[in-house]
Amino acid sequence: MPVPDRKGLKIVAIDVKDVRFPTSLEGHGSDALHTDPNYSCAYVTTRTEDGRQGFGLTFTCGRGTEVVVLAIRSMKRFVLGKNAADIYADFAGFWRALTNDSQMRWIGPEKGVAHLAAAGILNSLWDLWARIENKPLWRLLADMEPEELVSTIDFRYITDVITKDEAVQLLKDKRAGKEARIKQLTENGIACYTTQVGWMGYSDKMVKELCNKYLKLGFTHFKVKVGTSIEDDLRRCNLVREAIGDKNTLMVDANQAWSVNEAIDWMIKLAPLKPMWIEEPTSPDDVLGHAAISKALKPYGIGVATGEMCANRVMFKQFLQSGGMQYCQIDSARIGGVNEILSVYLMAEKLKVEVVPHAGGVGLCEMVQHLQMWNYASVCYDTMGLIEYVDQQHEHFFDPCVVKNARYMAPKKPGYSTEMFPETIEKFKYPDGSEWQRMFKEGIFPSPDEAELVNS
Amino acid sequence: MPVPDRKGLKIVAIDVKDVRFPTSLEGHGSDALHTDPNYSCAYVTTRTEDGRQGFGLTFTCGRGTEVVVLAIRSMKRFVLGKNAADIYADFAGFWRALTNDSQMRWIGPEKGVAHLAAAGILNSLWDLWARIENKPLWRLLADMEPEELVSTIDFRYITDVITKDEAVQLLKDKRAGKEARIKQLTENGIACYTTQVGWMGYSDKMVKELCNKYLKLGFTHFKVKVGTSIEDDLRRCNLVREAIGDKNTLMVDANQAWSVNEAIDWMIKLAPLKPMWIEEPTSPDDVLGHAAISKALKPYGIGVATGEMCANRVMFKQFLQSGGMQYCQIDSARIGGVNEILSVYLMAEKLKVEVVPHAGGVGLCEMVQHLQMWNYASVCYDTMGLIEYVDQQHEHFFDPCVVKNARYMAPKKPGYSTEMFPETIEKFKYPDGSEWQRMFKEGIFPSPDEAELVNS
């Protein structure tokens, strides 16, 4: 059991910072509903008595980060003074206590701000654990015995799809060949697709240039944002299809722009361009709506992808059960940290739905590569499992993801690749970082709101 | 159209306070998952240029209220400086802008802290509108033309169940006899049931005494908390059934304690006590789970009730579509305020599911009576529609709900009955109210957390 010795592992400090990047200035990350995102995060540092540190984050889009930061500060009371080794020895129990405090659960439960906050803390604890074991997180996970791995998961509300015992058995059944798969990952990594060619804010010229750039880099899968105007979408998708040819794959992403029937009508118009999936056609909460869309689009060969805003394992369970999701897009920062994400992978394998993780925000590529590599080593090796890739904000991380020939290379450094450079924090901490102070002074952004000053 | 003149209605201030009552001291409100709630609220006061005020609140359970308060402070930027008359003239548009800000929606969307915060603001705006029109809210709603009422609702994501045009037609079809129903409500109010007899923290003796008390007060429907131990539940439900006899109605409430199969097994054991419904058997997010439980319990004559933690209209839509909910328990403070609740009532009527509102927390009884009375006047008059009733915290309100002979009497004062006494705020504002300061000093409660001081 990889539970470390307790000595020195008492958690003595949890620090959280509001870190924002001014991405809205250039339209990076813009889509039908998120027209001007400033890619941001609530950045958590957990310190132990013996001076170890674990780094965790949860992704946000600018305004509202201050609320997540305060929620993390409010949750410190459930972590400070505990010994990290005790947490790892009953990680599922700790997870339940953190996410289901008898008073605080009312403001969730297990969704929105409260769950984003829990994820930030939990991610820092996983980073700390992997550092203690001196392994990259994906190896920590892949090296665990089935019983150990499963002991980190709270199975409440999902036993109708998978029980703890079934999960252990599933992992045991998949053990054969694991070492060879780990070797394969270490040598060749895992394939990715690009979302970089088709943000909503990009000009046609830029879209064409980017298609050519990413084709040259070896990419074969390209995703384009849609959902604002059908004429625009047809023009942009045609542009991309012409640039990438018929042998490569096009996916489209509506970022929740449509109601159910509208989604079906719109996609039938885009069907001649042969997209492999429509991502987030409607509300991320609409299981039955996604199931109706999936059914209607099946004859056109279009699958439905969703998950980046799926609230928790109970929602994922239903998407997987109902046929509402042909591509399961777990997000490394949204649901309740690594613990809950592991349960989604296990359910997806049981119900035979492919996991193609969401990535692209601050730290999401860095984190999710670990999860998908564990999945390939220990759970699902029928497919290599594409990962989304966006080339933004990696320069702020000590251990940035490395993409070569359109493949994520396996992380080697200990931890969850979540540590940011101190210079980044100094510059982009909101609102008092030096870059923000400069931008306020130069009138590039308005001064921070009263509420945004609360945590500074 | 009841949209007021713009003069003087510019919104110049939004104040929000963290107000908590020490209800955990006596076990009021305790259930399987909420073992020690301090009934609380984020309390919003919206002020106009001409000195008018609207009061709104969203219910919470103690810890975490500070996070909702900060979220409301963060959302002030979307309201301050706007003219209230312009908001009412396009209330659906304002609702969308408030709940779907391009950056802030990431920390929801439309769920958890962000949506609770939106509800607090929206409720204050509805209170203000009703005060401007000099009507109790239920009359403001009941007096609106169908087109006017429907203009306050955002139909995105629900058009597969009801479109704007269908909603207008539904309201038109129900118009006949409305004046007579309003008269009936004014004279006799609307029936209620009590949850007061069976909180988890109460002794057997207290349960028996309370049954007798509420029988004498004219109550015919009694709800008991279950879900911690089947032996306890059998004993407590037997106690209540014996006290109330076979002619009266028993309901049971598990407050999300079980997984799906566990819920079915547990309820089959309680079936001989003939509960009319099992409330919140499992995760509030599990539409398909509730549908499975409903199906399994139908042969036993037990319906499934849920809704107090249902996140938004999209989740309600699916519970209503799937047969997962036989009793629809809208909550006046949780989903996005009156606007979104109206859409749930309309969907429930279209799909013929009875609405039996949740109440009992701070201000919930005060608010929800208005909604259910509008429903009876304008939407669903096949049943009188029970409302939950708990006799707690009413003394803090200027216009408390009045229950006589187990019936809520129709509110007469202008507004949404949401205004609290200044003395209450002075005493129970957390953490600096005089009662809290006394309790900290006397060691009755630990001192506030660092995060809880942020808004004070």
Side-chain angles (χ1 to χ4, degrees):
Chain A
M1 182 72 175
V3 171
D5 193 274
R6 299 179 76 253
K7 195 163 171 249
L9 291 189
K10 185 174 156 187
I11 295 169
V12 294
I14 293 173
D15 175 70
V16 51
K17 293 206 160 53
D18 182 335
V19 181
R20 308 190 190 185
F21 301 98
T23 49
S24 62
L25 295 178
E26 298 183 36
H28 299 315
S30 57
D31 64 49
L33 266 70
H34 310 91
T35 46
D36 59 347
N38 283 332
Y39 276 14
S40 310
C41 67
Y43 181 67
V44 180
T45 307
T46 297
R47 288 192 185 83
T48 60
E49 206 166 24
D50 64 0
R52 291 171 192 268
Q53 296 188 109
F55 303 91
L57 60 86
T58 189
F59 175 61
T60 48
C61 283
R63 283 184 290 277
T65 308
E66 69 279 9
V67 182
V68 180
V69 167
L70 183 64
I72 292 170
R73 292 175 63 192
S74 295
M75 285 183 173
K76 281 163 69 166
R77 59 187 128 200
F78 308 125
V79 194
L80 282 175
K82 288 204 161 45
N83 190 293
D86 296 340
I87 290 174
Y88 304 137
D90 178 20
F91 214 164
F94 173 82
W95 190 93
R96 172 88 65 98
L98 183 69
T99 56
N100 278 275
D101 171 61
S102 66
Q103 294 188 358
M104 211 154 167
R105 73 186 301 282
W106 187 269
I107 68 166
E110 299 181 20
K111 58 178 65 68
V113 168
H115 224 34
L116 289 168
I121 292 171
L122 290 158
N123 290 337
S124 78
L125 289 168
W126 279 97
D127 181 60
L128 176 65
W129 195 2
R131 285 165 185 265
I132 291 169
E133 298 299 325
N134 204 29
K135 291 178 181 181
L137 182 83
W138 73 276
R139 284 303 306 264
L140 175 72
L141 294 171
D143 291 348
M144 280 185 183
E145 288 301 316
E147 291 83 356
E148 292 165 356
L149 187 116
V150 162
S151 78
T152 68
I153 298 171
D154 186 352
F155 282 84
R156 183 161 71 174
Y157 302 146
I158 59 170
T159 54
D160 50 332
V161 163
I162 195 163
T163 65
K164 198 169 175 173
D165 290 346
E166 287 172 327
V168 168
Q169 195 54 52
L170 186 154
L171 288 167
K172 284 184 177 170
D173 293 344
K174 300 282 183 167
R175 243 182 329 203
K178 190 166 79 175
E179 288 311 315
R181 292 192 295 277
I182 288 175
K183 188 163 176 280
Q184 201 182 335
L185 286 166
T186 309
E187 288 165 5
N188 291 314
I190 220 161
C192 57
Y193 75 83
T194 180
T195 308
Q196 204 82 349
V197 301
W199 295 114
M200 204 60 101
Y202 286 2
S203 68
D204 288 1
K205 183 163 168 283
M206 193 159 174
V207 169
K208 265 199 253 185
E209 284 170 8
L210 286 166
C211 283
N212 291 328
K213 172 182 166 186
Y214 283 92
L215 277 169
K216 276 183 201 150
L217 288 171
F219 283 84
T220 56
H221 292 67
F222 301 77
K223 196 165 80 183
V224 174
K225 300 287 176 177
V226 296
T228 299
S229 129
I230 181 67
E231 291 74 27
D232 272 9
D233 290 351
L234 281 165
R235 195 187 74 251
R236 290 152 52 81
C237 289
N238 256 310
L239 263 179
V240 175
R241 179 52 83 195
E242 271 178 32
I244 68 174
D246 288 338
K247 279 191 192 161
N248 289 308
T249 303
L250 170 71
M251 298 95 104
V252 297
D253 184 356
N255 289 88
Q256 314 166 21
W258 304 314
S259 288
V260 175
N261 296 326
E262 195 184 4
I264 295 168
D265 295 346
W266 199 298
M267 283 311 300
I268 289 174
K269 289 183 188 141
L270 290 181
L273 291 157
K274 304 258 173 235
M276 180 172 85
W277 78 45
I278 168 61
E279 181 170 332
E280 291 205 306
T282 187
S283 162
D285 301 325
D286 199 349
V287 175
L288 301 177
H290 280 77
I293 296 166
S294 293
K295 202 175 160 193
L297 297 182
K298 204 181 170 191
Y300 298 89
I302 304 170
V304 171
T306 188
E308 74 183 71
M309 288 213 198
C310 191
N312 54 44
R313 72 198 176 289
V314 179
M315 294 302 295
F316 271 111
K317 178 183 77 167
Q318 297 172 81
F319 277 105
L320 294 166
Q321 285 176 305
S322 66
M325 175 190 269
Q326 283 72 54
Y327 301 94
C328 174
Q329 298 180 305
I330 56 116
D331 178 290
S332 54
R334 183 167 283 275
I335 71 173
V338 175
N339 315 60
E340 193 167 5
I341 295 171
L342 297 179
S343 78
V344 175
Y345 271 109
L346 293 168
M347 290 192 286
E349 177 59 15
K350 171 113 188 254
L351 297 173
K352 294 291 165 203
V353 175
E354 189 175 348
V355 178
V356 185
H358 171 248
V362 180
L364 300 185
C365 296
E366 276 66 29
M367 292 192 279
V368 89
Q369 57 180 342
H370 288 271
L371 304 171
Q372 192 76 342
M373 289 188 190
W374 161 73
N375 182 51
Y376 184 71
S378 299
V379 184
C380 176
Y381 41 83
D382 305 333
T383 64
M384 271 302 276
L386 273 176
I387 306 178
E388 183 167 15
Y389 176 62
V390 182
D391 189 13
Q392 279 175 216
Q393 283 87 45
H394 304 301
E395 67 275 22
H396 303 298
F397 287 87
F398 265 105
D399 185 22
C401 64
V402 175
V403 167
K404 282 187 192 160
N405 303 318
R407 301 182 75 83
Y408 277 87
M409 296 294 103
K412 289 176 194 149
K413 291 188 186 155
Y416 195 11
S417 306
T418 33
E419 184 178 1
M420 293 173 96
F421 289 115
E423 306 87 83
T424 287
I425 311 292
E426 185 277 315
K427 278 185 187 163
F428 294 103
K429 182 173 182 311
Y430 189 90
D432 42 358
S434 58
E435 271 298 290
W436 283 107
Q437 288 297 318
R438 179 187 65 77
M439 290 187 287
F440 296 143
K441 212 167 163 184
E442 294 178 13
I444 298 172
F445 283 95
S447 291
D449 199 82
E450 165 216 302
E452 289 174 323
L453 295 168
V454 151
N455 301 293
S456 62
Chain B
M1 185 70 177
V3 171
D5 193 274
R6 300 179 76 252
K7 196 164 171 251
L9 292 188
K10 185 175 157 185
I11 296 170
V12 294
I14 294 173
D15 175 72
V16 52
K17 294 208 159 50
D18 182 335
V19 180
R20 307 190 192 186
F21 301 99
T23 49
S24 63
L25 295 177
E26 299 183 35
H28 301 314
S30 56
D31 64 49
L33 267 69
H34 311 90
T35 47
D36 59 347
N38 284 333
Y39 277 13
S40 309
C41 67
Y43 182 66
V44 180
T45 307
T46 297
R47 288 192 185 83
T48 59
E49 206 167 23
D50 63 2
R52 291 171 192 268
Q53 296 188 107
F55 304 90
L57 60 85
T58 190
F59 176 61
T60 49
C61 283
R63 284 184 290 277
T65 308
E66 69 278 9
V67 182
V68 179
V69 167
L70 183 64
I72 291 171
R73 291 174 64 192
S74 295
M75 285 183 172
K76 281 162 69 167
R77 60 188 127 200
F78 307 126
V79 193
L80 282 176
K82 287 205 160 48
N83 191 292
D86 296 340
I87 289 174
Y88 304 138
D90 178 21
F91 215 163
F94 174 81
W95 189 93
R96 171 89 64 99
L98 183 69
T99 57
N100 278 275
D101 171 61
S102 66
Q103 294 188 359
M104 211 153 169
R105 74 186 301 282
W106 186 269
I107 69 167
E110 301 183 17
K111 59 178 65 67
V113 169
H115 225 34
L116 288 167
I121 292 171
L122 290 158
N123 290 336
S124 78
L125 289 169
W126 279 96
D127 181 60
L128 176 65
W129 195 4
R131 285 165 186 264
I132 292 169
E133 298 299 325
N134 204 30
K135 290 178 182 181
L137 182 84
W138 72 276
R139 286 302 306 266
L140 174 72
L141 294 171
D143 292 347
M144 280 184 182
E145 289 300 316
E147 291 82 356
E148 291 165 357
L149 187 116
V150 162
S151 78
T152 67
I153 299 170
D154 186 351
F155 282 84
R156 182 162 70 173
Y157 301 145
I158 59 170
T159 53
D160 49 333
V161 162
I162 194 164
T163 64
K164 197 169 175 174
D165 290 346
E166 287 172 327
V168 168
Q169 193 56 52
L170 187 154
L171 288 167
K172 283 185 178 170
D173 292 345
K174 299 282 183 168
R175 243 184 326 203
K178 189 166 82 174
E179 287 312 314
R181 291 194 295 278
I182 288 176
K183 189 163 174 282
Q184 201 183 335
L185 287 166
T186 309
E187 287 165 4
N188 292 312
I190 219 162
C192 58
Y193 75 83
T194 179
T195 308
Q196 205 83 348
V197 301
W199 295 115
M200 205 59 102
Y202 286 2
S203 70
D204 287 2
K205 184 163 167 284
M206 193 159 173
V207 170
K208 264 200 253 185
E209 285 171 8
L210 286 168
C211 284
N212 291 327
K213 174 183 165 185
Y214 283 92
L215 278 168
K216 276 182 199 147
L217 288 171
F219 282 84
T220 55
H221 291 67
F222 301 77
K223 195 165 82 184
V224 174
K225 300 286 174 178
V226 297
T228 299
S229 129
I230 181 68
E231 291 74 26
D232 272 9
D233 290 351
L234 282 165
R235 194 187 74 253
R236 291 153 51 81
C237 290
N238 256 309
L239 263 178
V240 175
R241 178 52 85 195
E242 272 178 31
I244 68 173
D246 288 338
K247 279 191 190 158
N248 290 309
T249 303
L250 170 70
M251 298 96 103
V252 297
D253 183 357
N255 289 88
Q256 314 166 19
W258 304 315
S259 288
V260 174
N261 298 325
E262 195 184 3
I264 295 168
D265 295 345
W266 199 297
M267 283 311 300
I268 288 173
K269 288 181 188 142
L270 290 181
L273 291 157
K274 304 260 172 236
M276 180 171 86
W277 79 44
I278 168 62
E279 181 171 332
E280 291 205 307
T282 188
S283 162
D285 300 325
D286 198 349
V287 174
L288 300 177
H290 280 77
I293 296 166
S294 293
K295 201 175 161 193
L297 297 182
K298 204 182 171 190
Y300 298 89
I302 303 169
V304 170
T306 189
E308 74 185 71
M309 288 213 198
C310 189
N312 54 44
R313 71 198 177 289
V314 178
M315 294 303 293
F316 270 110
K317 178 183 78 167
Q318 296 173 83
F319 278 105
L320 294 166
Q321 284 176 306
S322 66
M325 174 190 271
Q326 283 72 55
Y327 301 95
C328 174
Q329 299 181 305
I330 56 114
D331 180 290
S332 54
R334 184 167 282 275
I335 69 173
V338 175
N339 315 59
E340 191 167 6
I341 296 171
L342 297 179
S343 78
V344 176
Y345 271 109
L346 294 168
M347 288 192 286
E349 176 60 17
K350 172 114 188 253
L351 297 173
K352 293 292 164 203
V353 176
E354 191 175 346
V355 178
V356 184
H358 171 249
V362 180
L364 300 185
C365 296
E366 277 65 31
M367 291 192 281
V368 89
Q369 57 180 342
H370 288 272
L371 304 172
Q372 192 75 344
M373 289 189 191
W374 161 73
N375 182 50
Y376 183 70
S378 300
V379 182
C380 176
Y381 42 82
D382 306 333
T383 65
M384 270 303 275
L386 274 174
I387 306 178
E388 183 167 16
Y389 177 62
V390 183
D391 189 13
Q392 276 174 218
Q393 284 86 45
H394 304 302
E395 67 275 21
H396 302 299
F397 287 87
F398 264 105
D399 184 23
C401 64
V402 175
V403 167
K404 282 187 191 161
N405 303 317
R407 300 182 76 82
Y408 277 87
M409 296 293 103
K412 289 176 192 147
K413 290 186 186 155
Y416 195 13
S417 306
T418 33
E419 185 178 0
M420 293 174 98
F421 289 116
E423 306 87 83
T424 287
I425 310 293
E426 185 278 315
K427 278 184 186 163
F428 294 103
K429 183 174 182 309
Y430 190 91
D432 42 358
S434 58
E435 271 298 290
W436 283 106
Q437 288 298 318
R438 179 188 64 78
M439 292 186 286
F440 297 143
K441 212 167 164 184
E442 295 178 15
I444 299 172
F445 283 94
S447 291
D449 200 82
E450 166 216 301
E452 289 174 323
L453 295 167
V454 150
N455 301 294
S456 63

